[in-house]
């Protein structure tokens, strides 16, 4: 189902869509809904009915309204035994698919055998008015029902009918004709566009200081006491106290992630390790989070003593509470000065601290238009084995997530939805993902087995965008599968980053990337990894509880959960990235080597002249360097990137990865592969680690040789170096520094006839210095 031609186009394509109805002035567009193409819809708002006639012996009816336009039919919910029902439902029919000249609103009476016609209202499409926001909503009107033969019947229906665009307020909650095959309230809720907000996350710091008056069951031994702290699904513990008494001390910090509203208590238990696999609880306490102190800097927080409760099980299974309470001394606070990392710092979309009091004013606005997708792959099979895709988009920036509506059964879906975010830092990334909706046809009824499939993802760094310019590009949707990289289609986006203050934006480049608490009291790398994992779990759990839910697999894909796992492909890519960075230094070294061997005599002579000038006038060295960098920057301005960066398969080594390396990357943790494959991969990893071990050992050897210059490990070598230092000090004292630099430069740039192929004397001396390799086992 996912086979592609061998040579695919993974490039970024610039497009010229007809945005905002063509209202373009230079690079800026002028209308409110201006980053998408206008889509015309016929809207029908069914408000209510009155005085409907009874159709059965009970003297009442079960009415509902069917809105019919050609082959499309939409129905309201029905009411039982109600002659004056109120629906207030909106139906939207795409104008591109209209194949009729009349619109019918038919009121029917629901029956077990056959629904009876109560009456209808017919509209000529040529007479329906147009509405464009910000015009006020069209007022609904009462219409008399007729029996379909031109005869008026009892009852009236209140309707509003108009032509509008996707900018209409009724668009998001309307029933859409392109989703006519979807039935059921839950399924309809799963296809609508929504805006979500991530929960407000805090770091919770628990400083466990000491405990007093603990009562162990065995008073004849020294207790081995530790404290276990549980916060929701997170559990951490202190080390075993070294004091070995009933008044143990720890003074240890434990960090957790919590989210508002604070629904759970912090549970602490003091436990005694009475045996290798047996722990005895000496006391417990529960601390409600809503009463804790919140701090925004590193000022000390007042500590408190908490009573530890202990229950003893008596005969008969009853619990008896011990009245004498042990105590525990702790300092607990919610940290508002940190930014809770739920994304990788390499492509984070928000870097503000938790506390709103510390936020700086926004510096601009990000506008994103999600236009359409083309060439999507079939993601699932429907009736008759036919491939289908029900695509929707999710975009995340900061705490705001958006989800477009689901386009049913289309490989070229058109969304044309526009969203806006406030920007507080230009060095942030907006992420757009495309997914296949697998919860429209009863997947939830199968114990939730169905998961929304990922179609692809796009990242756009705001700092790479020019301000006030509209970028319209078609981005390839690339997904790595066990059998290689696949292009799943293309997504068409329009992006504009508007800066409200150029001065404030430039000032942001001088500010620290993270809030100051990350530098004044930094967290360890292992703490950050653990806290980020907990933060992503909390965010995915909260968004899953929304309606419609933003499912866990979607949130984890957008937040790149699992990106820290071992991957041979990523390791190769990072190695070649380092080589790419070092290529400039290597190129300069090769160029200088050619200067030294006089490969081009004219260039070497010019370098001699430049070197002589800089020696005579050393105050020109730094100005020359910075002027040279300035000229290089101006020169490269002509070839500056005109398009946003996108995912590069060659840089990622996704197009040349070995199948076994990809299979290892997609393996579960812990592994689920057979033992022979694991043994082969382990041996391969050992060989790679052996080479890395050799390189690290060589670096250590060179460093130890530097240390041995003055350590007298080799007394003759150290004596020679000390004597050389004395002579050099005397010579440099009596000789002007410029003369010394000039002579050294002439020696380095000497003609090849004055060189030999043997290593230099300093290099020979350095290689003979001792290292500690002979002390290694």
């Amino acid at each position: 189902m996912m086979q592609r031609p061998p040579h695919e186009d993974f490039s970024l394509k610039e497009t010229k869509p007809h945005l905002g109805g063509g209202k373009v002035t230079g690079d800026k567009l002028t209308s409110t809904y201006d980053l998408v193409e206008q889509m015309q819809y016929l809207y029908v708002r069914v408000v209510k009915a009155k005085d409907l006639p009874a159709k059965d012996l009970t003297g009442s009816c079960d009415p509902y309204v069917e809105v019919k336009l050609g082959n499309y039919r939409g129905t309201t919910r029905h009411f039982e035994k109600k002659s004056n029902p109120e629906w207030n439902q909106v139906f939207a029919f795409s104008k591109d698919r209209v194949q009729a000249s009349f619109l019918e609103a038919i009121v029917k009476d629901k029956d077990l055998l056959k629904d009876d016609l109560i009456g209808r209202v017919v509209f000529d499409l040529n007479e329906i008015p147009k509405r464009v926001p910000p015009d006020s909503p069209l007022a609904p009107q009462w219409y008399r029902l007729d029996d379909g033969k031109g005869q008026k019947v009892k009852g009236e229906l209140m309707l509003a009918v108009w032509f509008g665009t996707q900018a209409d307020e009724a668009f998001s909650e309307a029933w859409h004709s392109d989703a006519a095959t979807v039935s059921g309230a839950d399924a309809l809720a799963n296809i609508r566009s929504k805006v979500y907000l991530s929960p407000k996350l805090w770091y919770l710091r628990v400083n466990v200081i000491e405990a007093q008056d603990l009562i162990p069951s065995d008073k004849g031994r020294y207790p081995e006491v530790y404290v276990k702290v549980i916060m929701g699904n997170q559990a951490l513990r202190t080390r075993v106290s070294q004091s070995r008494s009933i008044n143990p001390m720890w003074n240890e910090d434990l960090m957790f992630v919590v989210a508002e509203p604070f629904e759970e208590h912090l549970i602490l238990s003091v436990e005694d390790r009475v045996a290798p696999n047996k722990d005895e609880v000496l006391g417990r306490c529960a601390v409600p989070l809503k009463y804790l102190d919140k701090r925004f800097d590193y000022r000390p927080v007042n500590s408190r003593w908490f009573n530890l409760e202990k229950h003893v099980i008596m005969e008969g299974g009853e619990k008896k509470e011990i009245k004498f309470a042990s105590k525990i001394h702790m300092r607990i606070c919610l940290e508002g000065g940190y930014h809770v990392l739920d994304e990788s710092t390499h492509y984070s979309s928000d870097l503000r601290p938790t506390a709103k009091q510390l936020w700086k004013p926004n510096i601009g606005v990000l506008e994103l238009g999600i236009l359409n997708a083309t060439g999507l792959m079939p993601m699932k099979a429907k009736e008759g084995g036919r491939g289908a895709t029900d695509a929707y988009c999710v975009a995340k920036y900061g705490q705001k997530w958006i989800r477009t509506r689901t386009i049913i059964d289309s490989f070229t879906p058109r969304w044309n939805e526009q969203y806006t975010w406030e920007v507080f830092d230009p060095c942030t990334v907006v992420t757009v993902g495309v997914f296949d909706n697998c919860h429209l046809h009863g997947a939830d009824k199968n114990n939730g087995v169905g998961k929304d499939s990922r179609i692809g993802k796009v990242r756009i760094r705001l700092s790479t965008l020019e301000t006030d310019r509209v970028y319209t590009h078609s981005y390839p949707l690339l997904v790595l599968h066990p059998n290689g990289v696949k292009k799943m289609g293309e997504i068409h986006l329009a992006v504009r980053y508007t800066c409200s203050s150029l001065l404030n934006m430039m000032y942001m480049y001088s500010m620290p990337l993270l809030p100051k608490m990350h530098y004044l009291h930094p967290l360890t790398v292992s703490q950050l990894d653990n806290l980020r994992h907990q933060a992503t779990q909390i965010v995915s759990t909260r968004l899953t509880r929304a309606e419609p839910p933003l499912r866990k697999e979607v949130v984890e894909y957008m937040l790149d959960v699992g990106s820290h796992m071992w991957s041979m492909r990523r390791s190769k890519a990072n190695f070649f990235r380092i080589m790419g960075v070092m290529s400039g230094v290597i190129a300069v070294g090769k160029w200088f080597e050619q200067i030294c061997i006089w490969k081009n005599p004219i260039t070497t002579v010019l370098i001699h002249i430049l070197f002589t000038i800089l020696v005579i006038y050393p105050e020109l060295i730094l100005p020359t360097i910075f002027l040279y960098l300035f000229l290089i920057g101006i020169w490269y301005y002509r070839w500056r990137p005109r398009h946003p960066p996108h995912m590069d398969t060659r840089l990622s080594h996704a197009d040349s990865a070995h199948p076994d390396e990809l299979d290892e990357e997609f393996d579960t943790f812990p592994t689920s592969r057979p033992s022979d494959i694991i043994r082969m991969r382990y041996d391969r990893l050992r060989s790679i680690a052996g080479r890395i071990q050799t390189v690290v050992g060589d670096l250590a050897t060179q460093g130890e040789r530097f240390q041995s210059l003055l350590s007298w490990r080799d007394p003759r070598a150290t004596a020679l170096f000390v004597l050389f230092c004395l002579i050099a000090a005397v010579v440099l004292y009596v000789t002007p520094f410029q003369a010394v630099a000039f002579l050294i430069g002439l020696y380095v740039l000497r003609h090849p006839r004055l060189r030999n192929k043997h290593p230099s004397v300093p290099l020979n001396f350095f290689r003979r210095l001792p290292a500690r390799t002979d002390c290694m086992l």
Side-chain angles (χ1 to χ4, degrees), residues 18-30:
H18 192 69
L19 299 183
K23 300 172 184 175
V24 181
T25 306
D27 276 345
K28 291 191 75 171
L29 302 174
T30 56

Side-chain angles (χ1 to χ4, degrees), residues 537-605:
Q537 295 300 311
I538 291 174
V539 171
S540 62
T541 302
R542 288 289 180 91
L543 293 180
T544 303
R545 290 162 53 186
E547 185 60 41
L550 200 57
R551 303 193 181 272
K552 183 177 181 180
E553 62 271 16
V554 174
V555 176
E556 290 184 348
Y557 181 60
M558 296 290 289
L559 295 179
D560 280 290
V561 174
S563 60
H564 63 285
M565 300 296 290
W566 161 257
S567 166
M568 178 72 74
R569 175 190 61 82
R570 279 201 203 98
S571 301
K572 287 182 180 178
N574 290 333
F575 173 76
F576 283 103
R577 285 174 60 199
I578 294 175
M579 295 304 296
V581 171
M582 298 298 294
S583 62
V585 179
I586 296 172
V588 171
K590 290 181 178 179
W591 171 80
F592 187 72
E593 183 182 0
Q594 293 175 358
I595 295 296
C596 293
I597 64 175
W598 292 65
K599 185 173 183 179
N600 189 337
I602 296 177
T603 305
T604 305
V605 171

